[in-house]
Amino acid sequence: MMNMKNKFWFKIERNAFWEIDEPILNLKKSIDVVILKDTIYMLTLAGENLFAMERAYKAVCNNKVNEIIECGFLTDEAVFQKIATSGQNPRRFVAYNQSRLEAMKNVSKRKKLAKMFNLKLSGSNIDTNDEKTATRLVKFLCNKAMLDPLNDLPVEVAAAKSWQ
């Protein structure tokens, strides 16, 4: 409820203005969440607060980051963990791709993928001391990095799904 001071209401049928002197109900003019049957559509990030999604994102992120660290192909696990669990990165792990991690476990595939996606290597390990490399690795593992088909350069994508 809010009190409107010096506000008027216009009624078309009487072609006149009437002063509002009583409290009125002010409804939000935007919609954050739409629920239809068993599907929830979040139209803004404010909807994530309603369902405590940030906490869920962080839990998924921490589990996946620990799994990546256990593979043993990173030069500095602490730096990678700090980068992967901060900023927008926890949300990215919702789209985590396990098959990409499996490919990174193989040394020859790791070297090939590192070259394709501009990931710095230190020997055969991913150089996570380089912040750009650590961020690019997160994007690669979370389906946010693809190759542009016209020039074979790595690009960041909003979403990726199988070609149908």
Side-chain angles (χ1 to χ4, degrees), residues 50-132:
L50 180 64
F51 299 104
M53 295 299 292
E54 186 175 352
R55 186 176 55 200
Y57 292 150
K58 287 184 179 185
V60 168
C61 176
N62 286 328
N63 290 338
K64 298 303 179 186
V65 167
N66 289 334
E67 184 179 344
I68 295 163
I69 288 171
E70 288 173 6
C71 294
F73 59 76
L74 307 175
T75 58
D76 193 331
E77 287 118 7
V79 171
F80 177 75
Q81 185 168 26
K82 180 181 175 193
I83 291 169
T85 58
S86 63
Q88 294 295 319
N89 287 334
R91 182 177 285 115
R92 287 187 174 118
F93 277 91
V94 172
Y96 178 78
N97 188 332
Q98 186 67 35
S99 64
R100 288 185 172 212
L101 179 64
E102 295 303 319
M104 292 299 271
K105 290 178 181 178
N106 180 298
V107 176
S108 61
K109 286 183 183 178
R110 184 180 325 134
K111 288 180 178 180
K112 181 181 174 185
L113 290 167
K115 186 175 181 181
M116 290 168 63
F117 289 96
N118 296 330
L119 303 174
K120 285 186 180 179
L121 291 174
S122 178
S124 63
N125 291 338
I126 304 293
D127 185 3
T128 51
N129 287 315
D130 178 48
E131 188 175 327
K132 280 187 178 180

Side-chain angles (χ1 to χ4, degrees), residues 4-17:
M4 305 290 282
K5 294 182 181 177
N6 300 321
K7 300 294 179 182
F8 295 89
W9 180 30
F10 182 72
K11 281 192 145 185
I12 295 175
E13 67 260 7
R14 292 189 185 162
N15 204 20
F17 286 97

